[in-house]
Every structure is written in C-alpha cells, then in structure tokens.
C-alpha cells in the first residue's frame, strides 16, 4: 500500500541548479530556482538558493525577501537566520538584524560565528557593551573549538572585531566599575591569554 505520508521526492531541477552552481553558472542556477518557486512558492531550497545568490552580488533587498520566504518553511535553520541578519544589516536595519541574530544564537548557541554576527549587530546599534559581551561569547566558543589565536583556523573577522571591542572598552566609563573590571579582566585573561595576579583582577591592563 502506498504511504501517503512519505517524504516528497525533491524536484530534480534543484539538483540541476546545484550542478550549475558547482560549475560557476549562477544565472542558469537562479533560473532553475525561480522555475521551482513558480511551481512551489514555499520551496525552501529554491528560495534559499536565490537568496544566497542575491546576497553574493550584494542585492540585499532580493536576498532578504527570499531568506524570509525560506524561513517560512524552516524557521530555525541557522544558515537562513544568518543570511536574514546579514541582509538586514546591509539594508541599514540593525534593530531587525539584532532580532534575527538573537534567534540565530538561540538556534545555534555553540557557533562562534553566530555570536560574532550578534556582536556586529550590537555594534551597528552603537551598543559597545553588548557588542563586547557577544564578542566574548564568540571567543569562548572559538577557544573550545581550538580556533582562537590559531592563524590556520581563526576567522579574520573575529580578530578584527576584537580590535574594535578592545578599543570600544574605553567608552565604557559610564558603566558600573564592576562591569568595567569584568570587561578588562576577560580581555586580559581569556581573550589575550595573559597571566594576571590577583591584584590585576581589580583593574588589569588592556592592550592599546
């Protein structure tokens, strides 16, 4: 007896689109994705395919539209949430991007790049303290994966944002002293690998 609940066979045009992508034929791939969407407006793979191609050519509005379309069918897919947040940032909508980044770190809490993206959204909102906290989360997870301060594995954006976070630390003068000391201690010990004395825990130096 035929099982009516069996998973639907993927549209063969998706495999052809992937083959075009692997050959660098992005126009042909996007045409196939668009054809699939015309027949199946909620097809997640086709919508995601168009979204990623649009993002690659910096077409933020088209990328956002198709990432959101794909998320309707896969609301917790990390790659789609990341794409949505990045498109929103590109379009100058950091508050909406932060909402997507928060969903991303909830869906993928151990992904250091997810936390880095969240740090970038806080920075776009000029929230230096929140950006530093999110970056610390990214560093902690990168350390666990052996990717921190390893030139062969650490992603350049993680290091570059770290320089910004350290610089922004000087702007935290209006925050409670305990918070400032925590930021300084974290940077000195866990981020830069310094060995601090017990006295340094109260006000350790910070690299300039």
């Amino acid at each position: 007896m035929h099982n009516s609940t069996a998973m639907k066979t993927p549209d063969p045009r998706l495999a052809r689109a992937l083959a075009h992508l692997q050959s660098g034929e992005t126009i042909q791939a996007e045409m196939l994705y668009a054809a699939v969407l015309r027949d199946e407006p909620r097809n997640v793979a086709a919508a995601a395919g168009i979204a990623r191609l649009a993002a690659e050519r910096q077409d933020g509005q088209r990328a956002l539209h198709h990432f959101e379309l794909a998320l309707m069918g896969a609301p917790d897919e990390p790659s789609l949430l990341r794409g949505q947040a990045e498109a929103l940032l590109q379009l100058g909508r950091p508050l909406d991007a932060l909402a997507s980044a928060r969903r991303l770190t909830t869906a993928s809490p151990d992904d250091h790049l997810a936390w880095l993206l969240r740090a970038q959204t806080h920075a776009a909102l000029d929230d230096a303290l929140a950006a530093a906290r999110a970056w610390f989360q990214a560093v902690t997870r990168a350390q666990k994966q052996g990717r921190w301060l390893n030139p062969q594995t650490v992603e350049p954006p993680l290091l570059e944002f770290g320089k910004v976070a350290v610089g922004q630390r000087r702007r935290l003068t209006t925050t409670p002293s305990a918070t400032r000391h925590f930021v300084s201690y974290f940077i000195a010990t866990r981020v830069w690998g310094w060995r601090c004395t017990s006295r340094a825990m109260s006000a350790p130096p910070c690299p300039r």
Side-chain angles (χ1 to χ4, degrees):
M1 182 177 179
H2 176 68
N3 184 359
S4 60
T5 63
M7 184 177 295
K8 184 178 178 180
T9 302
D11 192 308
R13 289 174 292 185
L14 295 174
R16 287 161 50 199
L18 179 59
H20 282 302
L21 284 178
Q22 292 172 340
S23 300
E25 300 167 338
T26 58
I27 295 177
Q28 293 89 330
E30 188 162 359
M31 289 175 61
L32 284 170
Y33 286 137
V36 172
L37 277 183
R38 282 195 295 271
D39 296 337
E40 300 179 56
R42 295 293 184 88
N43 189 291
V44 173
I50 292 178
R52 293 184 179 110
L53 287 169
E56 287 179 4
R57 60 174 180 265
Q58 302 296 305
D59 186 347
Q61 195 62 56
R62 182 171 173 80
L64 177 61
H65 172 75
H66 285 87
F67 276 125
E68 290 180 341
L69 182 62
L71 281 165
M72 292 176 67
D76 297 320
E77 169 55 41
S79 65
L80 299 178
L81 290 170
R82 184 190 308 279
Q84 181 188 43
E86 291 174 342
L88 287 165
L89 273 179
Q90 181 187 347
L91 292 171
R93 295 168 56 184
L95 194 59
D96 293 328
L98 177 58
S100 297
R102 283 174 170 156
R103 289 176 59 196
L104 174 60
T105 53
T106 298
S108 191
D110 296 325
D111 182 357
H112 63 292
L113 293 181
W115 283 98
L116 175 60
L117 180 57
R118 180 162 167 176
Q120 291 168 333
T121 62
H122 284 299
L125 290 166
D126 202 29
D127 189 341
L129 182 57
R133 285 173 171 166
W135 181 70
F136 296 159
Q137 295 285 351
V139 170
T140 298
R141 284 153 179 78
Q143 286 177 324
K144 290 179 179 178
Q145 299 169 23
R147 301 182 69 88
W148 179 241
L149 298 183
N150 183 336
Q152 280 70 47
T153 59
V154 68
E155 290 82 359
L158 188 60
L159 288 171
E160 291 302 316
F161 193 87
K163 297 176 184 177
V164 176
V166 171
Q168 292 288 355
R169 169 189 168 275
R170 300 188 183 92
R171 298 177 54 193
L172 304 180
T173 55
T174 59
T175 62
S177 60
T179 301
R180 295 201 308 274
H181 293 162
F182 164 76
V183 172
S184 298
Y185 180 66
F186 192 102
I187 291 173
T189 58
R190 299 190 66 178
V191 177
W192 300 110
W194 292 6
R195 294 182 179 178
C196 296
T197 63
S198 58
R199 179 181 179 183
M201 292 183 65
S202 62
C206 183
R208 294 184 179 274

